[in-house]
Amino acid sequence: MVNTGEINGSSNFMDFLDEPIPDVGTYEDFHTIDWLREKSRDTDRHRKITSKSKESVWEFIKGLLDAWSGWIVMLLIGLLAGTLAGVIDLAVDWMTDLKEGICLNGFWYSHEQCCWTSDETTFDDRNKCPQWQKWSELMIDKSEGASAYILNYFLYTMWALTFAFLAVSLVRVFAPYACGSGIPEIKTILSGFIIRGYLGKWTLLIKTVTLVLVVSSGLSLGKEGPSVHVACCCGNLFSSLLSKYSKNEGKRREVLSAAAAVGVSVAFGAPIGGVLFSLEEVSYYFPLKTLWRSFFAALVAAFTLRSINPFGNSRLVLFYVEYHTPWYMAELFPFILLGVFGGLWGTLFIRCNIAWCRRRKTTSLGKYPVLEVIVVTAITAIIAYPNPYTRRSTSELISELFNDCGALESSQLCDYINDINMTRPVDDIPDRPAGPGVYTAMWQLALALVFKIIITIFTFGMKIPSGLFIPSIAVGAIAGRIVGVGVEQLAYHHHDWIIFRNWCRPGADCVTPGLYAMVGAAACLGGVTRMTVSLVVIMFELTGGLEYIVPLMAAAVTSKWVADAFGKEGIYEAHIHLNGYPFLDVKDEFTHRTLATDVMRPRRGEPPLSVLTQDNMTVEDVETLIKDTDYNGFPVVVSRDSERLIGFAQRRELIIAISKFGIYISRFSISLNFFCVFVSIY
């Protein structure tokens, strides 16, 4: 039956087999990439480019462009992420002030910008100028009294509800993936999981716009976690322009790791902390070249943000501090106590927030995300407005809590009783007894602390962009400032006690309450996220307080120890497990005692394993196995008798190969009894 035509057909068939199978090597949504294959493909690509570069000058230039393409992508990511961060900061500043009033010189000016050029601002009323008017002054020409207060209260709440409603509506309609922090999903994606659309263009646009809206609404959330998501969207956007990254998921994740560092860099003004954050907290695969490129991208983003100067103080840091008193060894005890508080707060928050999010997922509450956001926003605005420390933006609150009380400070926290005969320099003001303003501020801060602790539990995880860094820092800063003022007054009134006698003499500047706020902030953030090294670096970059690394380290380590005593999971790992993402943390310790041989040979009565054999299965056998099972892949063994593992074949690629084989059958009249041979490529 064999004739010449059949021989020619067989030859054509073998040529057809040599053609690459389309779509093999790509991945379906919610599947995991093959790291070894991606690495092998990149090595082959690099080998081809190197060999071709010797053939001509043009090929050599193409090789140089390929080598520099990674740095060009890093440059573009830094420029775009830095620009977006500056725009977000400026927009949040304006829209937050819009809830309380408007600038007559231009509605696009924030309160601070409006009063910059005013000639009628006095030192005592530096935050007031005729160009800036509250809504009550504009509408009913009154700034004081019950009617003015009620009107301002009502408009503050309505603006907050408007911003929140717009944000949740945009997320719900245009980009459902734009909700949440984004860091749990980024960690899962960087570990090799595919979530199509999570880093898309629509997600980038909607998350940027809605992030401004939700932060301006006054909800207890921050923009730092979502900034990482935004930066990773930028990284995915630019990596898709080059086949080097768009066709290799492993290389793409190197870019995304660097983009995560950029996100923290622009969120906190902390480029070094951003690189360490990506290395310690987010990244799964972080080669040395990614470290250098992350540093370069974070540097470009920091320079871009600095050129925009959104804070108006010519500084990159968000909360610049300048303390004039060193810390003393005796203060390590309250610092460690703040670390204990941070660990307990982190444990409480994680357990309560996960319980609430689980309830949202398993009950009808999850069917009404818009209503939930509106209710939480209304409760937040109504409770926050009467307290001046919760009414203002969280960033402004943290900045005031971190500040040291100098002679020019007009804050209520600096209302101390001064000695009229004092002739000390302005930068060396001794400890003084607290005045009525300080005591008023203490109980207001205590109420703000309780409010922040409770409301943040219900806010984080709603269907809007929501970061956790700033709320955690605020909780710790409030607790730290209260403790700092307490230690300061204790040292002033009882300087003869043995714990104060050696380092706190009468008339000396002994205790800096702002330092306690900074240490408490680090402790609470560490308790929630379980960060250590990157946390300390971020905090001293965030504040400029390089001298106080040891207190920050003591609080961060204590916080982690206390929190780990109740559970090893940070908030991001807890949300990963809550959402059921397939994430294997390299820091996890597994106690399973099952051996591979225990499952490779099923017990009597159990079905046989669904495996592929190396060279004695027909196409029809493989097709039957796929139809009878729903597994995403199958182990390849030597034979049924010797089940020694030699590889793994994914379901999708088997289907694609069989589909192409169907073309062979129709074109060359091939039988389904054709044998399959599986060869390892590693």
Side-chain angles (χ1 to χ4, degrees):
M1 294 178 62
V2 177
N3 56 32
T4 306
E6 289 176 344
I7 293 174
N8 292 336
S10 177
S11 175
N12 293 336
F13 171 66
M14 297 306 294
D15 293 338
F16 198 45
L17 282 178
D18 290 335
E19 298 177 10
I21 299 177
D23 296 327
V24 171
T26 59
Y27 303 94
E28 289 184 333
D29 201 8
F30 297 107
H31 283 65
T32 305
I33 71 172
D34 187 336
W35 285 96
L36 287 177
R37 183 176 60 191
E38 298 303 307
K39 180 65 177 176
S40 176
R41 291 171 62 189
D42 183 63
T43 302
D44 292 341
R45 184 194 64 83
H46 185 71
R47 188 184 297 114
K48 290 178 182 178
I49 291 176
T50 303
S51 61
K52 285 185 176 181
S53 63
K54 301 175 183 178
E55 298 176 359
S56 64
V57 176
W58 173 241
E59 292 295 338
F60 178 75
I61 295 174
K62 287 171 64 177
L64 288 179
L65 292 175
D66 180 80
W68 280 93
S69 61
W71 296 99
I72 295 172
V73 169
M74 294 299 113
L75 175 66
L76 295 175
I77 293 172
L79 290 173
L80 180 57
T83 302
L84 290 177
V87 171
I88 289 172
D89 287 332
L90 291 172
V92 167
D93 192 26
W94 169 64
M95 294 182 69
T96 300
D97 289 341
L98 189 64
K99 293 186 297 183
E100 299 191 34
I102 194 169
C103 183
L104 300 181
N105 289 345
F107 71 92
W108 55 88
Y109 289 128
S110 66
H111 188 176
E112 186 178 9
Q113 293 170 338
C114 188
C115 295
W116 273 348
T117 58
S118 176
D119 297 329
E120 304 175 52
T121 304
T122 63
F123 178 78
D124 292 333
D125 292 329
R126 68 192 75 175
N127 293 325
K128 296 182 180 180
C129 62
Q131 290 80 9
W132 177 266
Q133 288 195 348
K134 295 183 178 180
W135 292 112
S136 60
E137 295 175 317
L138 188 67
M139 294 182 175
I140 60 175
D141 199 24
K142 288 184 180 180
S143 60
E144 305 292 339
S147 58
Y149 182 85
I150 293 173
L151 179 60
N152 289 329
Y153 197 161
F154 174 76
L155 290 176
Y156 177 93
T157 305
M158 292 308 299
W159 276 115
L161 290 172
T162 302
F163 294 157
F165 176 75
L166 286 175
V168 70
S169 300
L170 288 172
V171 169
R172 183 179 175 84
V173 174
F174 295 104
Y177 281 150
C179 66
S181 165
I183 292 182
E185 288 77 11
I186 296 298
K187 290 187 68 169
T188 307
I189 290 172
L190 291 180
S191 72
F193 195 57
I194 302 290
I195 307 179
R196 301 290 182 196
Y198 196 82
L199 302 176
K201 302 179 184 65
W202 270 109
T203 304
L204 172 62
L205 176 62
I206 297 301
K207 188 129 192 175
T208 303
V209 174
T210 54
L211 184 56
V212 174
L213 292 169
V214 296
V215 175
S216 303
S217 69
L219 286 166
S220 183
L221 45 79
K223 61 180 184 297
E224 286 65 33
S227 294
V228 175
H229 188 183
V230 168
C232 286
C233 289
C234 297
N236 186 66
L237 173 66
F238 290 120
S239 63
S240 64
L241 302 178
L242 300 173
S243 61
K244 175 181 178 179
Y245 298 108
S246 62
K247 295 183 178 180
N248 191 302
E249 294 293 342
K251 296 292 292 181
R252 186 196 297 267
R253 274 150 183 75
E254 293 181 15
V255 175
L256 297 181
S257 293
V262 171
V264 176
S265 174
V266 296
F268 288 115
I272 301 175
V275 175
L276 290 176
F277 173 82
S278 179
L279 176 61
E280 178 186 2
E281 186 67 18
V282 178
S283 295
Y284 194 84
Y285 175 64
F286 204 84
L288 183 61
K289 63 180 178 181
T290 303
L291 177 68
W292 290 112
R293 290 177 178 178
S294 300
F295 185 77
F296 173 71
L299 183 67
V300 172
F303 274 129
T304 305
L305 186 62
R306 172 64 181 80
S307 63
I308 297 175
N309 192 22
F311 308 120
N313 56 5
S314 299
R315 299 185 187 276
L316 189 60
V317 298
L318 190 59
F319 313 112
Y320 179 75
V321 297
E322 191 173 0
Y323 302 139
H324 306 285
T325 305
W327 65 277
Y328 300 92
M329 286 298 297
E331 292 182 286
L332 273 179
F333 180 69
F335 293 155
I336 291 175
L337 286 181
L338 286 172
V340 172
F341 171 79
L344 294 176
W345 143 252
T347 302
L348 171 69
F349 174 80
I350 292 172
R351 293 190 177 183
C352 294
N353 179 254
I354 292 299
W356 178 252
C357 291
R358 184 176 289 112
R359 182 177 180 83
R360 180 189 293 125
K361 291 174 72 73
T362 57
T363 64
S364 59
L365 178 65
K367 299 178 181 178
Y368 307 100
V370 177
L371 180 61
E372 182 188 10
V373 170
I374 294 300
V375 170
V376 173
T377 304
I379 294 173
T380 302
I382 291 170
I383 298 177
Y385 187 83
N387 190 333
Y389 291 108
T390 52
R391 183 191 313 172
R392 69 187 63 181
S393 71
T394 310
S395 297
E396 291 179 1
L397 169 63
I398 296 170
S399 181
E400 183 172 346
L401 294 172
F402 281 0
N403 275 341
D404 192 15
C405 285
L408 304 180
E409 294 291 336
S410 60
S411 169
Q412 198 175 27
L413 284 169
C414 298
D415 183 24
Y416 290 91
I417 300 175
N418 295 310
D419 184 0
I420 59 175
N421 298 320
M422 184 181 67
T423 58
R424 305 286 291 276
V426 171
D427 291 340
D428 188 21
I429 298 176
D431 289 343
R432 300 155 289 169
V438 175
Y439 289 111
T440 301
M442 287 300 100
W443 70 260
Q444 289 178 338
L445 284 176
L447 293 175
L449 178 62
V450 175
F451 170 69
K452 288 284 186 182
I453 288 175
I454 296 174
I455 202 65
T456 306
I457 291 172
F458 297 97
T459 303
F460 186 72
M462 294 195 301
K463 296 301 182 183
I464 50 175
S466 54
L468 192 57
F469 280 40
I470 286 296
S472 300
I473 290 175
V475 168
I478 294 172
R481 187 75 186 208
I482 293 174
V483 172
V485 172
V487 173
E488 178 192 45
Q489 293 305 301
L490 198 64
Y492 176 81
H493 292 289
H494 303 282
H495 54 80
D496 55 339
W497 286 7
I498 188 171
I499 57 174
F500 301 120
R501 190 183 305 161
N502 295 330
W503 58 278
C504 190
R505 299 181 302 276
D509 185 11
C510 305
V511 180
T512 305
L515 172 60
Y516 286 75
M518 189 167 70
V519 172
C524 284
L525 184 55
V528 171
T529 63
R530 303 296 202 272
M531 293 191 301
T532 51
V533 179
S534 57
L535 169 63
V536 173
V537 175
I538 286 173
M539 287 305 299
F540 85 70
E541 283 191 281
L542 185 65
T543 60
L546 184 60
E547 184 180 349
Y548 305 100
I549 287 184
V550 173
L552 292 173
M553 291 174 65
V557 170
T558 304
S559 173
K560 179 172 175 56
W561 281 345
V562 172
D564 283 349
F566 296 95
K568 298 291 185 181
E569 285 186 343
I571 184 63
Y572 301 127
E573 290 80 11
H575 273 270
I576 286 173
H577 292 155
L578 176 68
N579 293 324
Y581 296 138
F583 178 75
L584 291 177
D585 196 340
V586 294
K587 295 176 286 187
D588 282 347
E589 298 178 2
F590 298 98
T591 58
H592 301 295
R593 296 290 183 266
T594 305
L595 300 178
T597 55
D598 297 334
V599 296
M600 287 299 287
R601 297 188 180 278
R603 292 186 293 270
R604 182 176 299 176
E606 293 183 351
L609 294 177
S610 299
V611 296
L612 299 169
T613 55
Q614 186 175 14
D615 54 11
N616 60 358
M617 290 186 73
T618 65
V619 176
E620 188 175 15
D621 294 335
V622 175
E623 197 171 28
T624 301
L625 180 64
I626 293 174
K627 289 180 179 178
D628 293 343
T629 62
D630 56 358
Y631 303 123
N632 286 326
F634 305 91
V636 181
V637 297
V638 174
S639 66
R640 283 290 182 180
D641 298 326
S642 173
E643 292 187 331
R644 183 166 60 88
L645 183 69
I646 62 170
F648 186 83
Q650 290 191 349
R651 180 188 189 90
R652 180 172 183 268
E653 297 189 354
L654 289 171
I655 294 174
I656 293 173
I658 291 175
S659 299
K660 188 175 183 182
F661 194 76
I663 302 175
Y664 305 159
I665 294 171
S666 61
R667 187 179 299 182
F668 303 109
S669 302
I670 303 298
S671 170
L672 283 177
N673 290 326
F674 208 91
F675 280 90
C676 298
V677 178
F678 296 92
V679 181
S680 175
I681 62 173
Y682 305 125

